[in-house]
Amino acid sequence: MERQVFVRKAAIDVILSTYNSKLPSEMLFLFHILYLQCYNDFHATATPEIMHRVRVRMSSQHHKSIVTVFLTNDDRDVKLPLPVIVPVKPNRPQKFLISLILSLGRFHNEIELWNAGSLNEVFYNASLIPVHPSIRFPTCEEIERVLKMYVDQYLLYIPASWHTLNKYLIMAQTILNDAFYFNAVSDLGIPANTYSSLYQVVTEECQAYIQELKTTLIKTLTATIPNAPTIEQLMTATKEKPLQWEPTFIQLEGQSDESHYEQQRAFNFIRKKIDAYCKCERIARRGTILHGHAGSGKTTIQAYVILYELSRGLLSTSTALASKRSRENGGIHIHQLLKIVNLKHATTTEQYSTDKMIDRLWKHPEVVNYLRAMDCLNLDEGGQTDAELFTVIDNALRYIRNSSDYLGGILSTITIDINQCGTMNNTRPLWCSPNIITSYDVIELQGFVRSCQDNPQQELILISEKTVRSVEDKQRFHEIITSHCQCYSSWNNANISPDMLRIFGKRAAVNNHEKEFIDKHIRPNNVSVVVRKAEDEECIRSLYNQWTAATPKTSTKLNATVKEQSSLLLYYNAVVELTYNKKNHWDQGQVAIIRSHVSQQEIDHWTPILIAIAKIGTNAIPPNLEIISDNDLCQMGWTFEHVTKYQTQEQTISLEVLGRRTQYPFRSRNASTIHKVMGSTLHKGITQVSNDPSSDYYIWEKGLVVVLLTRFRQLSHLAFVDPLGMKHTTDVLLEILDKVPPYYYHSKHVLDKVKKTFPLEHNDNTTVREEENIYTRASITTPPATIIPEINLNTFPYHPKDYPISSAHATPHGFLYMLLSLADRRSFYIGQTTNLRKRLHAHNNLISASGADPRYRPWVPLIYFTGFQSAKQRRSMEHKWQNERNRLMLHHSNTSITDVINIGIRLCSTYMSNNTENHDSTCRPSLVLHQCYSTYTPQQMP
């Protein structure tokens, strides 16, 4: 590890004399070791126990060189530096509370500090209260003691008038009382309900934007939710005259009483928060996360929540990270709603992205006004949204709404399932954010709704969600799929019908099967099929607007970055999806049908095409399209538009090259990726899976398998294609279920820590008003610590640890190593050197043409190999490792660091086994693996 902390020799005595009793044990031993090595004697404060433990630690080679790591020889400044901490004022409650805990508390690290299910537990972990909250609640004296610490250490030193100091003192006391008694962060500003009302009546443009989004949301939900109020009732409901609507959940055929009761209880839990928000109650700002396995009714509950919010006169919004999913729920894509700037690189900080987002928002005053008038934000499939993006949204909404509350005071509801597809590019999920504890209640749903009539599918879901599967589980997994799913040996099988949606993990398979579908089911019916090739262009940044025909490399890059297809097959009655948003006309992902006969010559000249566009949220296609007229589609609510060519935004191809594509804004809808169908309920589907990264049918992680197996009401509606038989398919699925995202186990620990569950027992006499108040002490009491799983450092992925690097003299033929970026844990670097210590210093301090990217510093070693017999062997292994990595990333863009580590281990093992029969022992490699990061196995999970 590179030097992270520098201590001067003159400061060690002062530190031990002043802070001896306040230092954590590990840090205390560190300074006693430093003192002993500097002065060849123990410090006066050292006890016999400390002396013994220091001698034991000093016996290791690692601690003998610790002086060179932490000490600096610069003693020119005799006076010791005076650290100054600028206090966070209590008018920013959430930051004030976190700052107070970090500055006044005593703890080893922040992961252990936030290892808690409530704020009371956080205060206990910080040693600010003496008794665990599961035993008893903090007393008034203990709360006053924390307040006194704040006054003594911070408030007295704030340069302000007595009037201001008194105001800060009252704010601090209010924040601490709310944190201890109600497990919530105070709201000290204008109630969000009142604030949003100020922006309901504004200019005609802003009012039209609000009405447009509100109308779309209401029309979609009222068409899907039974017993919903009418459109007119919801549109006219106001905060002053709310609609008196009592939501009732319809029990589906086959749905258990326990599952139906659980849905009602979960809704009532959120309903109380909405009612408290409408009454401007001060403690009403904790959002709700609905977590449950696939098909547990999360989205249905959220739909009822949105309708109830609208009936109370609140301005509610539905959104999702996937555009198609957001439109199915009647909402708006989150990037379109908030004008978000993508976090594509580690150098793009949250603050930079927040500034860019706010700059873009100011260009759209109607959107800014909408965000200020918004009361409730409902995010579906929130597991795909990473923690950094949530931070950007939080910062921007606080600024736009001029509020210190989380999300600017907006009441939020999120649906998540950690077992389904997670964040893109393995970024940190929402569970890594500290706002989970301070700003959300997590409800765990245990029932089954989508698969309520299919008990084998329910059992399959439970087996898939396990972290460790026994031999019996695997056998049962194989039996269920074999007995309920069809398996065909070839895609040419006549039993594969056109109404089966082709579902795959990679876009390449989707493109191939869209063409196969047309060749098999469209052309034989004498339907004219025309082809429109995209027009790809590129230009050099320095020669802007001088566009030329794109090279094959640019076209390949555009295939991966834009939604428009390079080759589009068009025919009459083709079912397509639109690829971009056109205001007041259509939205991205909206379903459409081509209703004009076009020739190849017309397509070559970009003739406009007539399409029929379905209502937002529509997935079902009318049967027998060949006999349905345009008037019939109009009566069904479809609208007609003429669509011509569309030119995409400029895409970055390389550091110097830009690219763009011109194409009709369509995508075929005969096949789909697994990510795209996440959250949807499908009629029939067929797929093929593989564990080979070079295959078009490759599936790379657990979430894809879970989504694939849970999209249907009956498991028999899913079929597989495998030339090797169903046994091979189930073996591949079980193998992929063991491949989890980097933060999966950490997310699971946090979820187990903070979740709430409702007892699955039904009581007809229970009403909404008789249920337990969610803000009472009893509702936030955590279980005894003995049954709470501990979140430790081992659950955090790729956690580097102190590891002694071998001396260059002991390894004369050098090192082969892999580094990890702590700035972006998705970035890694493979290299070789004769002196790893020197090379690591160069990676983190020098700038050279060959080396790790300085934007992602600091770099730390993950693994390295020693024991090479020549520099030629070392360089050969480096090239093989890098080539295998590049080949894997070419076929699979979501390659994890674990995959690259395993490649290096496999190559070195293979290299040694292939040279075991070499008679010249001097050339025989004897490689040694050094692991420099903490690891764990799923068996360690509770």
Side-chain angles (χ1 to χ4, degrees):
M1 296 289 290
E2 282 297 295
R3 295 178 179 177
Q4 302 291 334
V5 179
F6 293 96
V7 182
R8 288 179 297 160
K9 185 176 178 180
I12 300 177
D13 178 63
V14 177
I15 292 172
L16 287 174
S17 301
T18 307
Y19 301 103
N20 184 68
S21 61
K22 300 180 180 180
L23 291 174
S25 58
E26 290 298 322
M27 191 174 296
L28 179 65
F29 292 144
L30 169 64
F31 282 106
H32 277 291
I33 291 172
L34 293 175
Y35 188 88
L36 178 62
Q37 290 190 335
C38 291
Y39 299 102
N40 294 322
D41 194 7
F42 284 101
H43 192 264
T45 60
T47 63
E49 179 184 1
I50 291 178
M51 294 180 184
H52 172 70
R53 296 181 66 180
V54 169
R55 290 192 185 99
V56 172
R57 294 201 172 204
M58 282 294 295
S59 62
S60 69
Q61 181 68 28
H62 175 53
H63 286 87
K64 290 181 179 178
S65 60
I66 201 170
V67 172
T68 61
V69 178
F70 291 104
L71 280 184
T72 176
N73 296 322
D74 185 8
D75 283 329
R76 291 172 294 178
D77 190 359
V78 178
K79 295 182 179 180
L80 295 178
L82 177 64
V84 177
I85 300 177
V86 179
V88 178
K89 299 176 182 178
N91 55 359
R92 306 170 71 184
Q94 191 174 46
K95 292 188 176 182
F96 169 78
L97 198 59
I98 294 176
S99 174
L100 200 68
I101 293 171
L102 293 176
S103 58
L104 299 182
R106 294 176 57 193
F107 49 90
H108 289 88
N109 55 71
E110 288 194 41
I111 293 184
E112 292 182 4
L113 171 67
W114 300 110
N115 172 27
S118 66
L119 288 173
N120 282 337
E121 263 194 280
V122 175
F123 278 97
Y124 174 77
N125 293 343
S127 303
L128 293 175
I129 57 175
V131 182
H132 195 278
S134 62
I135 301 176
R136 68 168 174 81
F137 265 76
T139 64
C140 294
E141 291 76 14
E142 292 169 354
I143 299 176
E144 290 176 357
R145 174 178 167 271
V146 177
L147 182 62
K148 185 176 183 301
M149 293 173 63
Y150 165 69
V151 173
D152 292 341
Q153 300 188 30
Y154 290 107
L155 190 60
L156 293 179
Y157 303 100
I158 296 179
S161 65
W162 280 109
H163 174 76
T164 303
L165 294 178
N166 288 333
K167 182 176 69 173
Y168 287 163
L169 179 60
I170 295 173
M171 287 181 177
Q173 185 177 26
T174 302
I175 293 171
L176 289 175
N177 287 338
D178 290 342
F180 279 108
Y181 291 135
F182 302 106
N183 191 38
V185 181
S186 303
D187 169 26
L188 302 178
I190 300 176
N193 184 20
T194 304
Y195 178 87
S196 61
S197 300
L198 300 176
Y199 294 90
Q200 292 286 350
V201 182
V202 285
T203 63
E204 292 184 2
E205 182 183 2
C206 295
Q207 188 67 24
Y209 185 77
I210 293 176
Q211 292 300 315
E212 176 189 351
L213 296 183
K214 186 176 180 180
T215 302
T216 302
L217 180 61
I218 291 176
K219 287 182 177 180
T220 303
L221 293 180
T222 52
T224 56
I225 300 299
N227 300 329
T230 64
I231 297 176
E232 292 74 19
Q233 288 176 326
L234 292 173
M235 290 296 295
T236 56
T238 63
K239 296 177 182 178
E240 295 77 19
K241 295 181 179 180
L243 176 64
Q244 299 303 319
W245 176 57
E246 190 67 29
T248 55
F249 280 77
I250 303 299
Q251 187 171 0
L252 301 180
E253 182 181 355
Q255 183 182 4
S256 65
D257 293 339
E258 292 79 9
S259 174
H260 180 248
Y261 178 63
E262 179 186 52
Q263 283 187 301
Q264 189 69 51
R265 285 293 303 273
F267 171 77
N268 291 341
F269 184 88
I270 304 174
R271 173 179 177 167
K272 286 183 174 292
K273 296 186 178 185
I274 299 172
D275 292 340
Y277 178 91
C278 293
K279 296 176 183 178
C280 296
E281 294 184 5
R282 189 163 47 84
I283 304 298
R285 300 299 162 78
R286 287 179 68 85
T288 306
I289 293 177
L290 294 170
H291 179 273
H293 42 242
S296 59
K298 303 182 294 295
T299 303
T300 301
I301 296 174
Q302 190 178 63
Y304 274 92
V305 168
I306 297 173
L307 281 177
Y308 185 74
E309 292 167 348
L310 293 169
S311 71
R312 300 289 293 173
L314 303 178
L315 182 57
S316 181
T317 303
S318 175
T319 187
L321 190 63
S323 177
K324 179 182 177 182
R325 187 60 184 161
S326 63
R327 286 304 174 182
E328 287 178 351
N329 297 334
I332 181 173
H333 187 216
I334 192 169
H335 282 240
Q336 187 180 1
L337 172 66
L338 298 167
K339 309 300 179 185
I340 294 173
V341 179
N342 288 326
L343 299 173
K344 293 184 177 179
H345 305 289
T347 51
T348 306
T349 64
E350 288 89 344
Q351 186 59 52
Y352 173 81
S353 296
T354 301
D355 293 340
K356 296 293 289 184
M357 174 179 167
I358 293 173
D359 288 342
R360 295 179 65 180
L361 283 171
W362 289 134
K363 300 176 184 178
H364 302 272
E366 74 282 359
V367 178
V368 173
N369 179 81
Y370 184 85
L371 295 178
R372 288 172 172 172
M374 186 166 58
D375 296 290
C376 307
L377 179 66
N378 300 274
L379 178 65
D380 195 25
E381 303 297 350
Q384 295 180 301
T385 310
D386 56 52
E388 286 82 0
L389 181 57
F390 259 94
T391 301
V392 172
I393 295 173
D394 177 33
N395 292 338
L397 288 177
R398 290 176 192 242
Y399 180 84
I400 291 294
R401 296 169 64 92
N402 192 26
S403 172
S404 62
D405 297 335
Y406 180 67
L407 295 180
I410 293 174
L411 193 62
S412 59
T413 305
I414 305 173
T415 65
I416 293 181
D417 179 11
I418 64 172
N419 294 296
Q420 297 189 56
C421 299
T423 59
M424 301 297 177
N425 300 322
N426 293 325
T427 52
R428 292 187 302 162
L430 176 62
W431 303 102
C432 293
S433 171
N435 291 321
I436 289 292
I437 297 176
T438 60
S439 305
Y440 287 100
D441 293 310
V442 182
I443 298 177
E444 173 84 349
L445 301 177
Q446 306 173 66
F448 293 91
V449 178
R450 180 185 295 135
S451 59
C452 58
Q453 299 180 357
D454 192 348
N455 292 332
Q457 186 179 14
Q458 298 176 16
E459 186 178 357
L460 189 72
I461 292 173
L462 296 177
I463 294 174
S464 301
E465 291 178 348
K466 290 184 176 180
T467 54
V468 179
R469 280 163 287 278
S470 63
V471 177
E472 292 76 14
D473 290 334
K474 295 179 180 179
Q475 180 63 31
R476 182 58 181 158
F477 184 93
H478 172 75
E479 293 174 357
I480 293 174
I481 293 184
T482 303
S483 58
H484 290 80
C485 299
Q486 289 289 334
C487 183
Y488 305 107
S489 60
S490 170
W491 284 97
N492 295 322
N493 193 295
N495 293 323
I496 301 178
S497 58
D499 61 342
M500 288 183 171
L501 181 64
R502 281 73 171 159
I503 311 171
F504 307 101
K506 297 173 69 173
R507 172 55 61 181
V510 172
N511 294 335
N512 293 335
H513 280 271
E514 285 173 346
K515 298 177 182 177
E516 179 266 344
F517 179 88
I518 293 175
D519 293 337
K520 183 177 180 181
H521 298 287
I522 303 300
R523 294 186 190 275
N525 296 327
N526 295 323
V527 176
S528 174
V529 180
V530 296
V531 181
R532 175 67 246 193
K533 297 285 186 180
E535 294 181 357
D536 295 342
E537 298 174 291
E538 66 178 26
C539 79
I540 307 300
R541 289 181 185 270
S542 58
L543 302 175
Y544 190 69
N545 278 338
Q546 296 186 18
W547 294 89
T548 59
T551 62
K553 179 181 178 181
T554 298
S555 296
T556 302
K557 181 70 173 179
L558 288 173
N559 289 337
T561 56
V562 302
K563 297 183 180 297
E564 287 67 30
Q565 294 178 297
S566 59
S567 179
L568 191 59
L569 300 176
L570 303 173
Y571 55 94
Y572 182 71
N573 277 337
V575 181
V576 296
E577 289 181 355
L578 295 159
T579 59
Y580 79 102
N581 298 307
K582 186 175 182 180
K583 190 174 181 180
N584 299 325
H585 291 271
W586 63 74
D587 295 305
Q588 177 186 327
Q590 209 165 341
V591 179
I593 301 174
I594 295 179
R595 298 296 290 182
S596 62
H597 297 276
V598 289
S599 65
Q600 186 65 56
Q601 183 178 5
E602 291 174 328
I603 290 297
D604 291 341
H605 290 83
W606 298 111
T607 301
I609 299 176
L610 178 66
I611 63 171
I613 304 175
K615 294 185 295 185
I616 292 177
T618 298
N619 282 319
I621 304 300
N624 303 321
L625 284 176
E626 60 277 2
I627 63 175
I628 294 181
S629 66
D630 292 347
N631 291 332
D632 294 334
L633 289 175
C634 287
Q635 293 177 1
M636 297 178 189
W638 293 60
T639 59
F640 287 80
E641 294 277 355
H642 281 89
V643 180
T644 186
K645 63 181 179 179
Y646 168 70
Q647 189 175 84
T648 66
Q649 295 181 350
E650 298 168 1
Q651 305 293 321
T652 300
I653 306 301
S654 64
L655 196 60
E656 298 179 353
V657 179
L658 298 175
R660 68 185 183 187
R661 169 170 292 174
T662 302
Q663 179 61 285
Y664 283 108
F666 303 140
R667 288 201 72 94
S668 176
R669 202 173 179 269
N670 304 312
S672 175
T673 60
I674 297 177
H675 281 94
K676 203 168 187 178
V677 301
M678 183 175 170
S680 302
T681 300
L682 305 178
H683 175 57
K684 287 184 180 180
I686 186 169
T687 186
Q688 183 173 346
V689 297
S690 172
N691 55 0
D692 180 10
S694 62
S695 171
D696 289 344
Y697 304 110
Y698 179 51
I699 295 181
W700 52 90
E701 71 175 18
K702 175 178 182 174
L704 296 172
V705 176
V706 173
V707 173
L708 181 64
L709 297 177
T710 58
R711 294 305 96 201
F712 310 91
R713 297 191 182 278
Q714 298 287 336
L715 189 59
S716 58
H717 295 168
L718 174 63
F720 294 91
V721 174
D722 195 332
L724 301 179
M726 183 64 85
K727 179 63 168 61
H728 177 260
T729 293
T730 56
D731 289 342
V732 170
L733 293 175
L734 286 169
E735 178 183 339
I736 298 171
L737 282 173
D738 292 331
K739 297 180 179 180
V740 298
Y743 295 91
Y744 175 79
Y745 296 114
H746 183 73
S747 300
K748 193 169 182 62
H749 274 294
V750 176
L751 171 64
D752 292 339
K753 193 73 174 177
V754 300
K755 69 182 180 182
K756 296 178 175 66
T757 57
F758 297 113
L760 294 181
E761 54 187 20
H762 180 61
N763 183 359
D764 292 333
N765 296 324
T766 302
T767 64
V768 176
R769 305 305 173 189
E770 292 172 345
E771 289 181 0
E772 177 187 38
N773 192 302
I774 61 174
Y775 299 124
T776 60
R777 287 189 178 187
S779 66
I780 61 171
T781 302
T782 55
T786 55
I787 66 172
I788 297 179
E790 287 297 324
I791 303 175
N792 50 50
L793 293 175
N794 291 336
T795 64
F796 209 72
Y798 318 129
H799 182 74
K801 62 182 180 181
D802 290 336
Y803 190 89
I805 296 178
S806 305
S807 171
H809 299 288
T811 54
H813 295 293
F815 307 79
L816 174 63
Y817 61 88
M818 177 177 175
L819 304 182
L820 171 72
S821 167
L822 292 184
D824 179 16
R825 291 174 183 256
R826 298 165 290 171
S827 301
F828 50 87
Y829 178 86
I830 298 172
Q832 55 85 24
T833 183
T834 56
N835 191 323
L836 183 54
R837 295 183 184 180
K838 183 177 179 180
R839 185 61 173 157
L840 186 60
H841 175 81
H843 282 308
N844 284 321
N845 295 277
L846 305 180
I847 298 179
S848 61
S850 61
D853 194 328
R855 297 177 300 171
Y856 300 108
R857 291 172 178 172
W859 293 92
V860 296
L862 274 181
I863 62 172
Y864 67 89
F865 296 92
T866 58
F868 297 97
Q869 299 301 314
S870 66
K872 182 179 179 181
Q873 287 180 349
R874 186 183 74 242
R875 287 192 291 267
S876 174
M877 287 305 303
E878 178 197 22
H879 293 155
K880 290 182 178 180
W881 195 358
Q882 292 174 342
N883 290 337
E884 287 283 341
R885 174 206 60 190
N886 295 339
R887 191 175 297 112
L888 177 63
M889 296 182 68
L890 177 64
H891 296 292
H892 177 36
S893 60
N894 211 27
T895 302
S896 69
I897 294 177
T898 304
D899 295 333
V900 181
I901 292 175
N902 292 335
I903 289 175
I905 297 175
R906 174 176 55 81
L907 287 175
C908 289
S909 299
T910 304
Y911 191 73
M912 286 193 296
S913 61
N914 292 340
N915 288 271
T916 52
E917 298 180 359
N918 193 329
H919 298 289
D920 187 359
S921 60
T922 60
C923 297
R924 185 180 304 159
S926 180
L927 304 183
V928 179
L929 167 66
H930 302 262
Q931 181 173 301
C932 308
Y933 68 97
S934 301
T935 185
Y936 55 92
T937 60
Q939 284 78 2
Q940 294 173 325
M941 294 287 295

